[in-house]
Amino acid sequence: MSIRTDRLRQFLAGIACDAVLVSKKENVRYYSGFSGSNAQLLITPDQAWLLTDFRYVEQATQQAPDFSILRYSGSPYPVMTETLASAYPGKKLTIAFEGDFVVHDTFEALKTALPESAWQSCSLESLRMQKDAEELRLIHQAMEISQQAFAQILPLIKPGARECDIALELEFAMRRRGAEGKAFDFIVASGARGALPHGVASEKELCEGELVTLDFGAVYKGYHSDMTRTLCLGTASEKQLEIYNLVLKAQEVGCAAIQPGITGKDVDAAARQVIISGGYGEQFGHGLGHGLGLMIHEEPRLSPVGDRILTIGTPVTVEPGIYLPGWGGVRIEDTVVVSADGCINLTAGTGKELLEIR
C-alpha cells in the first residue's frame, strides 16, 4: 500500500474508527489511482476494496492494483455489507464517512444497509494539503501550460474582441499543449465588469482604455493550475495605475509572508492590511487565496478564518483584488508552493507589471 493509504489508516486510528468509506471522486483517485467517474473505497487497517460497476472493472484493475475490486449492479451497499460481514464476522464496526460530501439520503441508505455499524462523520480534505513530488510536478506542468497559452493569445486581446472568444481561444491553446480540460469557467472581465470577482466571460466587446482581468487555469492529469492577470487596453489612467499598483503591492506582501508554520489568516492579514491602508479595504471582500490540487479549491484557505498551518510542499494561490462597482477592478494571482525558506512561485514566468496593450 502507498504512503497515502498509510496516512489514511493513521488518521482512522486517531479518530477510533475501524474503516472509512471514501466517496468523493478526488479522494478516490488520490488514494487508489482510479480516475473513473463511479467508485467508492472501503479501507480498514488490513484491507482495501474498490467498489465499482461493470463499466469500470477493467480500468479499476489497471489503475488500482493495490485494491481488491468489488463489482456491483445497482446499489453498492449489498456487496459492501457482505464483504464486511465476511471479513469481520460478528464485529460491530465504527465506519467513518465523508460528512462534508455524503448527502442525507445516501447516509440514510448506508445506515439501513449496515444497521449494526456505527457511523462517524469526518473530512479527508486536510490529508491532501501537503503534496508529494509527483503531485507538485503535475501542478507545475499545468501551470506551464497556462502560462504558455496566455502568452499565445495575448495578441487577440484588443478593442473589439469579445470576452467569450478570448476565453475560448485560451482553452484551445491549453488543450493543444496537453491540458485535459480547463480548471474552471474562465473569467474574462473588461471595463466595469471587472468589478465582478467571478465575472465569467460574456459577449461584451473590449474597449480602448479598459482594464481586462483574466483568471484561468488548466487541468493536467487531474491536477489544476490557477493564475490571474489584469491588463490595460491602451495607456493606463492615473486611477488605474493607483489601483493596480496597490493590488500588486498587496500581492507581493502576501507572497513574502508565506513560510512554513504560519497560518492562512496571518498571510491574509499581511496582504489585506496593504489594501486597507490604501483606503480600499471594503473593496477587497474575498479571501487572499486557497490551496489547489485534484480540485481547484482545496485546503488550506488564506482568508480571515484560515486557521490551518502552512507546511512545506503545500501549493496555494495569492490573489488580492480591488473591485469598484461601475468602474471595474484589478486582481493579480500567482500560485506558489511553500518551501523551507518561504515559497516558490510557479507563475514566475509571467510578469506582473501592468501590461499596456497599444
Side-chain angles (χ1 to χ4, degrees):
M1 281 292 169
S2 69
I3 294 175
R4 297 177 188 179
T5 310
D6 289 341
R7 286 205 308 265
L8 181 57
R9 285 175 165 145
Q10 292 171 5
F11 173 77
L12 269 183
I15 61 174
C17 286
D18 303 300
V20 60
L21 178 64
V22 181
S23 305
K24 193 172 188 176
K25 68 177 183 178
E26 291 84 6
N27 288 330
V28 168
R29 184 169 186 169
Y30 182 75
Y31 289 110
S32 71
F34 176 73
S35 62
S37 63
N38 184 41
Q40 296 183 73
L41 307 179
L42 188 59
I43 299 174
T44 69
D46 54 4
Q47 299 280 353
W49 297 280
L50 186 152
L51 296 89
T52 191
D53 62 44
F54 169 80
R55 298 170 297 166
Y56 294 110
V57 169
E58 183 65 20
Q59 180 181 346
T61 301
Q62 294 173 4
Q63 291 185 329
D66 292 336
F67 284 72
S68 300
I69 310 302
L70 299 177
R71 173 183 164 182
Y72 66 84
S73 298
S75 169
Y77 305 134
V79 174
M80 187 186 308
T81 302
E82 179 182 338
T83 299
L84 288 175
S86 175
Y88 305 100
K91 183 175 182 180
K92 181 177 179 179
L93 300 174
T94 299
I95 306 174
F97 70 98
E98 295 171 281
D100 53 358
F101 175 75
V102 174
V103 299
H104 179 268
D105 286 355
T106 299
F107 180 55
E108 290 299 316
L110 286 170
K111 291 194 297 181
T112 300
L114 293 160
E116 298 301 316
S117 296
W119 295 90
Q120 180 170 324
S121 174
C122 74
S123 174
L124 305 180
E125 299 306 296
S126 63
L127 300 182
R128 296 206 320 267
M129 275 180 29
Q130 189 174 24
K131 272 53 177 182
D132 59 32
E134 177 62 9
E135 290 182 286
L136 292 175
R137 184 187 73 80
L138 296 176
I139 293 170
H140 186 268
Q141 183 59 35
M143 190 58 67
E144 286 296 304
I145 289 170
S146 295
Q147 293 183 96
Q148 292 169 13
F150 177 61
Q152 179 185 325
I153 63 97
L154 268 177
L156 304 178
I157 304 175
K158 56 188 177 182
R162 297 192 306 172
E163 294 174 350
C164 56
D165 293 332
I166 293 170
L168 187 60
E169 291 298 329
L170 186 54
E171 182 179 355
F172 286 161
M174 287 180 179
R175 286 184 176 273
R176 292 188 187 103
R177 286 166 172 76
E180 61 195 53
K182 57 183 181 179
F184 49 87
D185 289 336
F186 294 162
I187 293 167
V188 181
S190 60
R193 293 192 72 253
L196 304 172
H198 278 186
V200 295
S202 72
E203 294 186 356
K204 178 187 176 301
E205 293 184 357
L206 277 57
C207 299
E208 183 75 20
E210 291 183 332
L211 294 176
V212 184
T213 297
L214 297 96
D215 188 346
F216 53 95
V219 181
Y220 179 73
K221 295 187 178 180
Y223 282 82
H224 295 67
S225 64
D226 195 1
M227 63 180 290
T228 305
R229 292 294 184 265
T230 299
L231 320 173
C232 185
L233 295 181
T235 302
S237 69
E238 184 176 335
K239 183 171 183 179
Q240 287 172 334
L241 285 171
E242 174 201 354
I243 300 296
Y244 189 92
N245 289 330
L246 185 60
V247 173
L248 178 59
K249 181 179 178 182
Q251 206 271 343
E252 292 173 339
V253 167
C255 290
I258 291 175
Q259 59 182 310
I262 196 172
T263 64
K265 62 183 178 183
D266 288 336
V267 178
D268 178 278
R272 191 172 300 276
Q273 187 56 50
V274 174
I275 294 178
I276 292 172
S277 297
Y280 291 96
E282 293 298 315
Q283 285 71 50
F284 176 26
H286 58 72
L288 179 66
H290 55 85
L292 79 173
L294 286 168
M295 297 174 65
I296 188 59
H297 293 111
E298 296 188 357
E299 294 290 349
R301 308 289 169 156
L302 308 187
S303 78
V305 295
D307 56 3
R308 294 194 184 279
I309 294 174
L310 304 189
T311 57
I312 294 173
T314 300
V316 292
T317 67
V318 183
E319 47 181 306
I322 292 175
Y323 313 93
L324 303 174
W327 182 84
V330 172
R331 182 164 67 252
I332 304 168
E333 174 187 18
D334 288 332
T335 293
V336 305
V337 179
V338 183
S339 63
D341 53 359
C343 68
I344 300 169
N345 191 339
L346 301 185
T347 332
T350 304
K352 290 185 288 190
E353 294 302 320
L354 180 59
L355 180 59
E356 297 175 315
I357 298 177
R358 299 182 176 88

